Amino acid sequence: MMATTEAPTRPLLPIASGKRTLATVRALLRPNRGLAVIAMITLVGATAVSLLTAPILGRIVDLVVAGETPDSLVVPVGLLAGVALVAGVGTAIGVALVGRLGENMVAALRERFVERALRLPLERVEQAGSGDLTSRVTSDVTMVTKVVRDALPHFLRSALMIVLTLGGLAILDWRFLLAALLSMPIQLHTVRWYVGRAIPLYAAHREAVGTVHHRLLDTAGGAPTVRAFHLADSHTGKIRQASETALELALRGIRLLTGFFARLNLAEYVGLTAVLATGFWLVNADAVTIGTTTAAALYFHNLFNPINTALMLVDDAQSAGASLARLVGVTDLAPEPEPGKEHVASDAAVKATALRYAFVPGHDVLRDIDLDLQPGERVALIGASGAGKTTLAKLLAGVHTPTGGSITVGGLRLDELGPAAARRAVALISQEVHVFAGPLADDLRLAKQDATDEELRGALATVGALDWACALSDGLATVVGTGGHKLTATQAQQLALARLVLADPPIAILDEATADAGSAGSRELEASADAALSGRTALVVAHRLTQAVNADRVIVLDNGRIIESGSHTQLLDAGGHYAELWRAWSAGRGG
Amino acid sequence: MSSDEGSGKAVLRQSLTDERRRVAGASALAAGHQAGEALVPVLIGVVIDRAIATGAVPSLVGWLGLLAAVFVGLSFSFRFALRAAERAAERVAHELRLRLTRRVLDPQGGAEKERLPGELVNIATGDAKRVGAVAGTLPFGVAAVAALLVSGVLLLRISLPLGLLILLGVPPVLWLTHLLGKPLEQRSEGEQERAARASGVAADLIAGLRVLKGLGAERTAVDRYRGTSQESRAAAVRATRAHGWHDGAVVAVTGVFLALVALVGAYLAMRGAISIGQLVAAVGLAQFLLTPFQVLTWVNGEVAQGRASAGRIAAVLATPPAMPNGSRDLADTPRGELRLAAVTAGRVRDFDLEVPAGGLVGVAITDSGVATDLLALLARTANPDSGAVRLDGQDLSTLDITAARRAVLVADHDAHLFEETVAENVLAGGAAGHERAMAAATVDQVAQTLPDGTGTVLAERGSSLSGGQRQRVALARALAADPAVLVLHDPTTAVDPVTEARIADGIAELRAGRTTVLVTTSPALLATTDMVHLVDGGRIVAAGTHHELAAANADYRSVVLT
């Protein structure tokens, strides 16, 4: 079936260039300019004030050296307490403002991403494999959000602390600054050394942990199958292997991290020694007081933590940058083209002429398809796996663009109609059943935003789903899907059919909507589908021949071609492929 | 205290005992590191006191040399402490993970009862990791205590009143910042959950992209997503505000405390009770001491979490088995004669069925619940309440579970495909006849449409295949296992009728002479059997060939042919 005949190298969705990514960040920043400025001023202010602590302590030392009386301590100690309070309030406000700024930008980015992702032509998504889009919306959005939420405030505070402390050292004496900067080459080298190794190593570790997770889920989910086939040893062995790989990578990560800190320790020692030696020299030369040297040494000692923090976050920042580029790659894509003016299909007829389709040029999976669906007609599509049934269904629904030939809906070509109008006219219920996370009623209202509760109940009743829906713990308000109540395969498929009833398109295409439910469920679902399709032009990819018997017309597809077309009785009389099939199937019917 | 917590303690104790060497070594090294960190501000004070204030070059060189030695010591002890601690943590998690896997896969089962696979995986990853984290953080807790002792001694030697002020002052300071942050932090937990919703909903919408496209519901979905995203944004902003106030409180409270220390220290220095260097060292130590206290709070939290996780792990490990095991073994080559005599179990009532050795028998069941219960009996995942299931005359419930399942294989219609290649999935059944099995189940056709043929790796649960393709691969695996008795449940519900007819012939041919039971209502499959039993209301109501029943029995016709 589909997903299979595609080209071996998938054209992945694009990744934005550094320039485009930066431009997007600027665009996201623009509406928040005022907020950004106030946030930065507050944080700079708070950090600057907190840096007064060291010189005030130095001043206290000088007072002691000068042999002053304890009364003289009141002013500097009062100042120390004042500095603490102002810095505290400033930090609180600054962190909150930076948080708001980051959240505003992240929210705008993810909304833009989802909007663009949902409007991408499905064909493009399928070319890239839906895994590409899924991984962007899960890991990349999460990565960017996490870094903005957790790392950005720390990074900003540490960076400000570093810059302003270095400034403070310069104010004490410019030679202290020079001494402190002696540690910088070591730090820069360390960061380059670390980031170059950390990003691939941590990525490998995350992947290894993902593999462990996957293997465990695979095994736990299939535990009855593992037991039935005596696979416990081989599965435990695979999990052991995956877990050991993850363990080794975790330890390599730790070795890298300790190497990183060891190098920073060296930088700390070099800088501290330089500051102290400079103090020794300057005090001897009477250029500065012992108090000033104390302040300089304490300044530098206080830099240890912010430097570690800031440098540790560099690899997070790089990963976030890579994720951001992958998100911007999608937000920059062109949406589906819409025609200039609105067209409305005049009736519910579908006509395909000389239709052809190839995933790989030169390898047609469908050829010479001529098809005419009259308004209100129900047609069953029969054929072996790989005959092209799903591809034909997708072409008629406008998901794929034909390689040759044309499709008209209500007399208008699909491309004239435009994707939005085409989808209003033709609904496709495909193989993938998905239950949207959230209240059941919200799921249904995706098909009709303003549907009343009565309409929802009506749609559920039509497909025979009202009984179980009402029996849910909170009725239609029950949270279903991921993280909520899990619906059975039959229920999920009935839900898909109820959405169809609500969306109420004149033409519906059903592909394998009854396939996964077991034979008892299949029969129930056939009844649901029957009700949902009533009054519509319908093409049903049939899995049980009973669906063909009840259809107005049966089309047999073989190897990409229509080989038979006619009503059930006509085809039986014709004595072809379908008749043979029916005989095998109904052998017991007594003739 | 419940017994679960008790056994959780046992799990935790066992894990720590297994790794005691590494934990002890890491503790000693981490303590050395803390001592080194504590000495750095002290040495800064000493350098100022003895070298800078005196202007003696040899003194400067000597003390800076000592400072270098301290840096080397603290750097190396940290490096090896962290490595040992992390290895201990990872090993604990790894061993627990394997113990849990073995428990879940135990032939007697039971562990996955009332636990979703995802939940079990979370226990084997998240909880195992948190128990490991106890082994990983404990050394740093030990080191923090050591640091408190060292700096306490240093401070008290500098000055008794100043030392006492700092040592007794730090805990209330931390307690105060904790208190200031707590209500905000509690509120922010709920906010963070709401803040995380936006990514979850986005992933869900993308997962349902085809459904949205099929209905033209993109615009509705985008509008709705914007609402969710903005709610998340507002929640996240409230959470960061809470964080901001917490951070700010820490800055303010510790700053005021430092001012107090400076005041008392300077007063003592002016009175000549301590030197200037000692004043500088005391101020430095006061700042330094905040860290060990914070580490202790953190270790405490990790241990609490680890204890809860150990409880959850212990609960899984201690789940009673779902099935009592039997002890008897079977003949090496069972003939495969299956007899159910007056069996009652669940919805199966007073059930008699005879399947001769080598026979191909169909069982058409009107109610899927009855089918589930019948299959459980044959798969030895349930024992009859009364009556007996016999294989070659031996009561199945007295057999060793593994032996019973080796002889009778029940292939369920929703059997799980694993995330490996198509070929590996089939080979998991058995290697000998896997090619014939693939041909009979038409997996060779499936493979032709896959990018790498039978070497194509399947996605999670085989979701990269269509329903029909999945069933065909699962069927091939069951056929490849070549058991004495093969029970197939609805093997072709998602397969198109053309292929189904081919598969029905394939099964009959491949299983010729081997006992096979087809539990299905598919006429294509039933038509190939020697005999069909119609089951209604939990018992057999009619038997005959497919043709006979289809001709004579209206109930059968309505179940199978419409």
Side-chain angles (χ1 to χ4, degrees):
Chain A
M1 307 215 159
M2 80 110 338
T4 52
T5 356
E6 289 168 36
T9 49
R10 292 167 177 282
L12 288 181
L13 296 167
I15 296 172
S17 66
K19 212 170 124 192
R20 270 305 306 160
T21 309
L22 215 59
T24 306
V25 172
R26 266 200 299 274
L28 290 170
L29 196 57
R30 208 163 297 134
N32 296 295
R33 244 177 327 199
L35 182 59
V37 170
I38 297 171
M40 279 313 281
I41 289 175
T42 318
L43 269 189
V44 169
T47 313
V49 167
S50 73
L51 285 177
L52 292 175
T53 306
I56 297 172
L57 283 173
R59 168 84 188 133
I60 291 173
V61 169
D62 285 341
L63 289 175
V64 175
V65 173
E68 297 283 336
T69 60
D71 301 347
S72 61
L73 293 173
V74 174
V75 175
V77 169
L79 274 176
L80 267 187
V83 160
L85 292 175
V86 172
V89 173
T91 303
I93 296 174
V95 167
L97 289 176
V98 168
R100 174 186 293 267
L101 174 66
E103 293 300 335
N104 284 356
M105 289 170 68
V106 166
L109 177 69
R110 68 181 171 228
E111 283 163 30
R112 203 186 283 194
F113 179 85
V114 167
E115 182 188 349
R116 202 44 59 85
L118 293 186
R119 298 229 165 118
L120 282 180
L122 198 50
E123 201 165 18
R124 184 76 187 82
V125 177
E126 290 193 342
Q127 270 170 10
S130 54
D132 190 14
L133 199 57
T134 307
S135 86
R136 289 184 199 220
V137 78
T138 49
S139 30
D140 291 328
V141 170
T142 310
M143 183 77 209
V144 171
T145 310
K146 190 178 122 319
V147 167
V148 166
R149 208 166 276 171
D150 301 335
L152 188 66
H154 287 292
F155 185 79
L156 271 182
R157 282 175 67 192
S158 302
L160 280 176
M161 189 72 163
I162 295 167
V163 170
L164 293 179
T165 305
L166 291 177
L169 277 174
I171 292 172
L172 291 179
D173 192 293
W174 61 271
R175 283 161 289 202
F176 282 128
L177 174 64
L178 284 189
L181 287 180
L182 277 182
S183 65
M184 216 159 91
I186 307 175
Q187 282 151 349
L188 287 180
H189 174 263
T190 303
V191 168
R192 200 171 314 144
W193 174 87
Y194 174 70
V195 169
R197 285 164 180 76
I199 289 178
L201 181 57
Y202 293 164
H205 178 243
R206 272 196 298 275
E207 202 183 310
V209 169
T211 307
V212 173
H213 209 274
H214 253 93
R215 290 235 167 115
L216 281 167
L217 193 61
D218 202 26
T219 298
T225 308
V226 171
R227 281 194 282 266
F229 287 91
H230 320 291
L231 301 172
D233 287 344
S234 84
H235 275 251
T236 311
K238 278 184 182 172
I239 288 169
R240 173 195 299 279
Q241 201 183 31
S243 178
E244 270 167 4
T245 309
L247 184 151
E248 282 311 319
L249 284 168
L251 294 178
R252 272 178 60 194
I254 287 295
R255 279 200 288 278
L256 182 68
L257 194 66
T258 53
F260 173 73
F261 283 127
R263 283 164 172 78
L264 291 184
N265 283 150
L266 176 66
E268 286 166 1
Y269 178 73
V270 167
L272 186 57
T273 303
V275 168
L276 286 172
T278 308
F280 180 84
W281 169 50
L282 291 176
V283 168
N284 266 1
D286 271 334
V288 301
T289 64
I290 294 184
T292 308
T293 303
T294 306
L298 289 183
Y299 263 166
F300 193 75
H301 186 236
N302 284 344
L303 272 186
F304 289 4
N305 282 334
I307 289 179
N308 284 358
T309 306
L311 298 186
M312 275 289 297
L313 295 174
V314 170
D315 74 308
D316 270 357
Q318 278 217 350
S319 306
S323 288
L324 196 57
R326 284 155 54 80
L327 295 181
V328 175
V330 172
T331 59
D332 275 0
L333 281 178
E336 285 174 314
E338 290 288 343
K341 58 176 183 181
E342 283 272 310
H343 290 283
V344 180
S346 58
D347 63 11
V350 179
K351 191 172 164 67
T353 321
L355 204 58
R356 206 158 60 71
Y357 189 76
F359 287 103
V360 185
H363 292 81
D364 286 354
V365 291
L366 284 178
R367 302 148 273 204
D368 310 327
I369 302 284
D370 290 300
L371 189 66
D372 211 343
L373 303 186
Q374 297 304 315
E377 190 185 24
R378 182 158 330 168
V379 174
L381 191 59
I382 299 256
S385 301
K389 301 181 304 264
T390 295
T391 309
L392 180 56
K394 287 190 169 169
L395 283 173
L396 295 179
V399 170
H400 289 324
T401 316
T403 310
S406 74
I407 301 169
T408 61
V409 170
L412 285 166
R413 279 206 326 278
L414 275 181
D415 50 340
E416 286 173 339
L417 210 52
R423 263 176 231 123
R424 273 196 297 278
V426 189
L428 171 69
I429 306 284
S430 66
Q431 296 179 22
E432 297 89 355
V433 259
H434 182 81
V435 177
F436 290 93
L440 184 66
D442 284 5
D443 180 307
L444 289 167
R445 285 203 175 95
L446 281 171
K448 191 179 182 197
Q449 203 162 4
D450 51 357
T452 62
D453 280 0
E454 270 325 295
E455 284 177 286
L456 299 187
R457 278 168 206 284
L460 287 169
T462 307
V463 300
L466 189 59
D467 286 346
W468 63 255
C470 290
L472 293 175
S473 55
D474 293 321
L476 295 191
T478 308
V479 173
V480 292
T482 316
H485 177 85
K486 198 170 179 298
L487 298 183
T488 67
T490 311
Q491 290 172 340
Q493 284 165 338
Q494 283 180 329
L495 189 59
L497 291 167
R499 285 190 215 113
L500 175 70
V501 172
L502 284 166
D504 198 23
I507 303 157
I509 298 174
L510 248 60
D511 182 14
E512 280 212 336
T514 65
D516 258 347
S519 44
S522 301
R523 217 160 288 123
E524 200 181 327
L525 276 173
E526 269 167 40
S528 306
D530 212 40
L533 292 180
S534 114
R536 301 178 214 289
T537 309
L539 181 79
V540 179
V541 176
H543 276 273
R544 292 169 54 86
L545 287 186
T546 44
Q547 289 170 298
V549 181
N550 299 329
D552 298 321
R553 190 147 56 100
V554 180
I555 288 175
V556 183
L557 204 60
D558 184 46
N559 215 358
R561 279 203 178 86
I562 293 176
I563 55 167
E564 287 171 38
S565 170
S567 73
H568 172 70
T569 31
Q570 282 170 345
L571 290 187
L572 280 193
D573 291 344
H577 200 77
Y578 180 81
E580 193 185 317
L581 199 62
W582 177 256
R583 259 196 306 282
W585 196 79
S586 63
R589 259 200 159 161
Chain B
M1 198 169 282
S2 80
S3 63
D4 267 353
E5 279 179 33
S7 54
K9 262 186 197 159
V11 166
L12 195 57
R13 196 176 315 125
Q14 174 74 50
S15 299
L16 290 175
T17 312
D18 288 349
E19 292 296 326
R20 62 184 178 279
R21 288 228 178 90
R22 286 198 184 93
V23 172
S27 300
L29 286 165
H33 167 245
Q34 282 292 301
E37 292 279 1
L39 279 176
V40 170
V42 175
L43 281 176
I44 293 177
V46 172
V47 169
I48 290 172
D49 228 14
R50 305 267 171 92
I52 298 181
T54 61
V57 176
S59 177
L60 178 72
V61 173
W63 286 111
L64 286 181
L66 189 61
L67 187 63
V70 167
F71 260 97
V72 169
L74 73 86
S75 183
F76 275 89
S77 49
F78 178 73
R79 172 186 288 222
F80 293 110
L82 188 58
R83 286 186 191 178
E86 205 56 32
R87 185 172 282 273
E90 290 283 336
R91 290 224 52 93
V92 164
H94 175 73
E95 288 303 330
L96 287 174
R97 203 166 289 144
L98 292 181
R99 271 176 76 187
L100 285 164
T101 307
R102 279 192 286 265
R103 174 61 196 91
V104 170
L105 297 182
D106 188 280
Q108 290 179 270
E112 76 264 37
K113 213 173 187 179
E114 287 171 24
R115 289 191 188 96
L116 291 171
E119 200 181 334
L120 285 170
V121 172
N122 282 341
I123 292 174
T125 52
D127 284 321
K129 193 175 168 181
R130 278 188 285 275
V131 175
V134 174
T137 50
L138 215 51
F140 296 98
V142 173
V145 172
L148 286 180
L149 290 177
V150 171
S151 24
V153 169
L154 286 173
L155 275 171
L156 292 174
R157 285 193 52 181
I158 289 172
S159 152
L160 194 63
L162 188 57
L164 283 178
L165 169 70
I166 294 172
L167 288 176
L168 298 178
V170 169
V173 162
L174 288 174
W175 181 73
L176 192 60
T177 55
H178 178 65
L179 214 63
L180 285 171
K182 203 173 176 184
L184 296 160
E185 200 124 3
Q186 263 172 357
R187 209 177 67 198
S188 90
E189 254 171 54
E191 305 285 18
Q192 265 157 359
E193 228 163 82
R194 244 165 292 163
R197 250 183 72 79
S199 353
V201 172
D204 189 55
L205 287 176
I206 299 290
L209 183 62
R210 283 181 187 79
V211 176
L212 295 175
K213 290 272 179 192
L215 290 169
E218 302 98 312
R219 194 166 300 172
T220 317
V222 167
D223 288 348
R224 193 177 293 172
Y225 181 68
R226 204 161 276 144
T228 309
S229 168
Q230 285 303 318
E231 272 169 34
S232 277
R233 188 196 64 84
V237 166
R238 284 194 295 274
T240 52
R241 201 179 298 150
H243 267 283
W245 282 113
H246 177 255
D247 290 359
V250 171
V251 169
V253 173
T254 54
V256 170
F257 175 65
L258 212 61
L260 188 64
V261 171
L263 175 66
V264 176
Y267 176 77
L268 291 171
M270 284 174 173
R271 299 257 315 264
I274 60 173
S275 72
I276 294 170
Q278 284 174 326
L279 167 64
V280 175
V283 171
L285 279 173
Q287 280 174 302
F288 166 79
L289 266 180
L290 292 167
T291 318
F293 275 109
Q294 281 162 347
V295 167
L296 282 181
T297 317
W298 167 64
V299 172
N300 196 24
E302 292 285 309
V303 171
Q305 278 198 339
R307 209 179 272 159
S309 289
R312 281 189 286 273
I313 290 173
V316 176
L317 292 176
T319 324
M323 284 299 297
N325 207 348
S327 54
R328 295 214 311 218
D329 215 337
L330 263 177
D332 280 348
T333 46
R335 283 179 299 120
E337 182 204 48
L338 195 63
R339 271 185 89 152
L340 280 76
V343 171
T344 297
R347 285 158 286 194
V348 173
R349 308 232 156 260
D350 204 20
F351 199 91
D352 288 294
L353 175 70
E354 269 183 57
V355 183
L360 175 58
V361 168
V363 180
I365 303 182
T366 50
D367 172 4
S368 61
V370 175
T372 309
D373 291 350
L374 178 64
L375 291 161
L377 288 170
L378 298 175
R380 185 92 161 65
T381 53
N383 280 339
D385 301 335
S386 66
V389 182
R390 289 181 205 284
L391 175 68
D392 295 346
Q394 297 220 54
D395 190 335
L396 217 54
S397 62
T398 64
L399 291 176
D400 172 67
I401 289 186
T402 310
R405 292 203 189 121
R406 233 178 254 289
V408 182
L409 173 62
V410 175
D412 228 340
H413 78 106
D414 58 353
H416 189 99
L417 291 184
F418 297 103
E419 249 183 287
E420 44 195 24
T421 66
V422 172
E424 282 167 337
N425 265 292
V426 176
L427 280 167
H434 79 276
E435 279 181 5
R436 284 182 62 212
M438 288 210 263
T442 67
V443 170
D444 44 355
Q445 273 185 15
V446 173
Q448 276 171 17
T449 65
L450 297 178
D452 298 318
T454 55
T456 307
V457 178
L458 301 184
E460 196 182 327
R461 311 197 73 128
S463 60
S464 50
L465 300 180
S466 71
Q469 290 174 321
R470 266 201 300 279
Q471 284 189 328
R472 289 148 79 180
V473 175
L475 175 62
R477 175 174 63 191
L479 291 172
D482 194 30
V485 179
L486 177 61
V487 182
L488 296 171
H489 179 212
D490 274 338
T492 53
T493 42
V495 176
D496 65 272
V498 183
T499 313
E500 188 183 28
R502 213 172 296 157
I503 291 176
D505 293 340
I507 294 174
E509 197 180 314
L510 192 75
R511 293 293 298 173
R514 303 283 270 163
T515 312
T516 309
V517 180
L518 296 172
V519 179
T520 181
T521 56
S522 153
L525 291 172
L526 290 171
T528 63
T529 59
D530 312 330
M531 164 81 99
V532 180
H533 299 270
L534 175 64
V535 177
D536 189 32
R539 59 187 97 216
I540 293 179
V541 293
T545 65
H546 173 61
H547 291 229
E548 289 164 6
L549 287 175
N553 192 310
D555 288 341
Y556 184 75
R557 270 199 303 276
S558 81
V559 174
V560 173
L561 291 173
T562 51

